[in-house]
Amino acid sequence: EKLNENFNPEAPGKTGDLWYLIPARWWKQWLEFTSTGTNSREQGPPSIDNTDLVDARDFLRIGLSEGVDYEVVTQDAWHALVAWYDK
C-alpha cells in the first residue's frame, strides 16, 4: 500500500475501510521532506496535530475542504505516519 494512495469520494473503498484526515499543511511539509532525499526523522515534519480540523467540542469543523484544509489517508498510512513522526 502506498502512503499517498488517493481517496476517491466516488469510490471510497469497501465497507469497513477506515480513512483518516490529516492537515493539508502537514501533508505538504511531509511531501517536501520526503522529496528532498534527506529523510532523517530528526529533521522531518513536526508531530501531526489535527486541532485545526476540529472545533472546541472536538467535532469536525464545518466548511473544511479536501486539499485545502485536509488530506485523506488510509488507516495503514495514518498509523505509519504517527509511528514515525509523533514525537
Side-chain angles (χ1 to χ4, degrees), residues 51-62:
T51 56
D52 289 343
L53 303 180
V54 296
D55 63 19
R57 298 181 307 174
D58 285 334
F59 290 110
L60 195 60
R61 282 188 23 232
I62 295 173

Side-chain angles (χ1 to χ4, degrees), residues 1-86:
E1 171 184 5
K2 298 183 335 183
L3 280 183
N4 62 350
E5 181 178 340
N6 289 332
F7 174 74
N8 179 353
E10 300 297 321
K14 54 190 177 306
T15 302
D17 283 354
L18 293 177
W19 296 82
Y20 288 71
L21 301 185
I22 196 163
R25 183 176 64 240
W26 188 94
W27 186 251
K28 288 177 184 129
Q29 288 178 310
W30 181 78
L31 290 175
E32 289 174 16
F33 168 69
T34 57
S35 69
T36 63
T38 57
N39 295 346
S40 167
R41 288 195 185 133
E42 294 80 35
Q43 299 172 350
S47 295
I48 300 168
D49 181 1
N50 281 349
T51 56
D52 289 343
L53 303 180
V54 296
D55 63 19
R57 298 181 307 174
D58 285 334
F59 290 110
L60 195 60
R61 282 188 23 232
I62 295 173
L64 296 174
S65 297
E66 182 181 0
V68 176
D69 300 301
Y70 67 89
E71 296 294 340
V72 182
V73 298
T74 65
Q75 182 178 22
D76 289 342
W78 172 260
H79 289 297
L81 291 168
V82 168
W84 293 335
Y85 302 109
D86 192 24

